[in-house]
Amino acid sequence: TALAEGIGEELTALPPMVKCPVLIAKPQISVSTKFVYENLKLNEQTVHPDIDRLVLDIKAKDLHAIAADMGNVLETVTIPNYPIIAEIKDHMMEHGAINSMMSGSGPTVFGLFENEEVAVAAYDAMRASGLAKQVYLTSIYNTAR
């Protein structure tokens, strides 16, 4: 786990992420990162995630706070142009994710889960839904170094 600053070149190590199941789903579509950044409109109304609070959540190992505080401003461009991403996020939430979010500029979506059994059921439901071309269930393991 690391905090990326600047244009992503300044990395600061953080404590390991809390151990939890993670569902990953990629729809059939492709998204142009160039398109997303060219159409990103940042202004004083743009809601940004509170990175300082998120870092504190990670340090406190509070999965629910991490999930509540995570966010991705690139969703403001990608989701209106590719609504399937919102459908996948909603599907994960309906099937027990603590929160779900688009990864980077998209189109892949991930969901954090508190419980392995719920995550497995969500994985099965996502595969059955046909919303995603690729679906994976993995886990973050908190290993000391």
Side-chain angles (χ1 to χ4, degrees):
T1 308
L3 172 64
E5 296 177 283
I7 56 172
E9 82 287 6
E10 299 172 33
L11 299 177
T12 304
L14 295 174
M17 174 63 184
V18 177
K19 181 180 176 184
C20 68
V22 180
L23 180 60
I24 302 167
K26 183 193 179 299
Q28 183 76 32
I29 61 168
S30 294
V31 172
S32 163
T33 300
K34 181 179 185 218
F35 169 83
V36 173
Y37 278 95
E38 284 178 346
N39 288 281
L40 181 62
K41 307 289 188 255
L42 299 176
N43 57 41
E44 54 278 344
Q45 279 78 34
T46 304
V47 177
H48 294 273
D50 184 337
I51 300 302
D52 293 333
R53 188 167 62 203
L54 191 54
V55 168
L56 292 174
D57 298 340
I58 292 168
K59 289 179 178 179
K61 301 190 181 311
D62 186 337
L63 181 60
H64 284 272
I66 292 166
D69 291 335
M70 65 187 201
N72 183 347
V73 296
L74 300 179
E75 288 183 350
T76 63
V77 175
T78 310
I79 288 177
N81 287 282
Y82 303 95
I84 187 74
I85 295 168
E87 291 179 49
I88 291 171
K89 287 179 59 174
D90 291 345
H91 193 271
M92 287 186 185
M93 296 299 293
E94 290 164 8
H95 288 86
I98 301 170
N99 202 354
S100 67
M101 185 173 78
M102 182 181 76
S103 177
S105 59
T108 303
V109 174
F110 68 92
L112 302 181
F113 290 79
E114 186 172 32
N115 174 296
E116 183 77 25
E117 188 176 300
V118 173
V120 169
Y123 167 82
D124 292 340
M126 183 62 70
R127 287 185 51 99
S129 74
L131 291 170
K133 176 183 174 185
Q134 297 170 300
V135 182
Y136 303 97
L137 180 59
T138 189
S139 181
I140 295 172
Y141 292 100
N142 190 348
T143 57
R145 291 192 245 181

